[in-house]
Amino acid sequence: MERRKRKNKSWLYIIGSLIFLCGAGLIFYDYYSEQKINMQEQEAIEEFYEEEKITDSIEEPQKIEEVEEQTKVNYIAILKIPKIKLERGLVEPSSYLNNVKYNLQWIDGSSMPDQVNGNVIIAGHSGSARVSYFRKLDQLVIGDSVSIDYKNKTYNYKVVDIYDIEKTGTAEIIKNKNTTTLTLITCRHNTNKQIVIICEMV
């Protein structure tokens, strides 16, 4: 009887150790994967700025040799919101990565930052998922600064209006037609509402 108890304890110890090791391994793997993705994203942002410097220094158009399609992300713009420490690249509107499932998204009908009196519209997820780049967007208040780096120029904006709308798949955007505007949209976490933040160029 005593021997059986010892045997059972030994098995419990072995099983407990295996569960602990598996759990620790999963945590380490998740951490390593997240660090690797963060590093790749940072490299893509740095590459965006490097390419802008190179483009700036070219006086005449040059023929670019065709290269094999690569899986790396190519950003065409960078959105910065200092208050919430967000610096995130934006891909071509036609890219499959231009989707809130993967990144911040240029919404259909959005202007580009260099369009006078246009409205740049960018959406992103809130919540706690890895792709929830707008998780802290609800911390912004009127007067906060936002900027977009695009085509060798920085476009600066200030928040002028914040309001909630019902989450219906469409968003009513209230803006001054005579101003160049940036609109940021995300869900208000754990509600059926969306936050709309209107920024005007300064």
Side-chain angles (χ1 to χ4, degrees), residues 131-147:
V131 294
S132 301
Y133 300 112
F134 277 177
R135 64 173 62 91
K136 295 180 181 177
L137 202 66
D138 61 350
Q139 295 179 15
L140 296 187
V141 296
I142 290 172
D144 282 338
S145 300
V146 181
S147 67

Side-chain angles (χ1 to χ4, degrees), residues 121 163 165-166 168-174 183 185 194 196:
I121 311 170
Y163 57 90
I165 57 171
E166 293 292 330
T168 61
T170 59
E172 184 184 357
I173 297 169
I174 303 163
T183 301
I185 304 171
Q194 286 182 304
V196 178

Side-chain angles (χ1 to χ4, degrees), residues 79 81 119-124 134 137 140 146 148 159 182-186 195-199:
L79 174 71
I81 309 178
N119 186 17
V120 177
I121 311 170
I122 299 171
F134 277 177
L137 202 66
L140 296 187
V146 181
I148 297 179
V159 176
L182 165 65
T183 301
L184 307 173
I185 304 171
T186 194
I195 309 167
V196 178
I197 297 180
I198 308 293
C199 313

Side-chain angles (χ1 to χ4, degrees), residues 73-92:
V73 179
N74 291 314
Y75 292 137
I76 63 163
I78 306 290
L79 174 71
K80 294 179 182 176
I81 309 178
K83 183 174 184 176
I84 59 174
K85 297 179 180 175
L86 177 70
E87 182 177 18
R88 182 70 196 167
L90 295 154
V91 295
E92 287 278 2

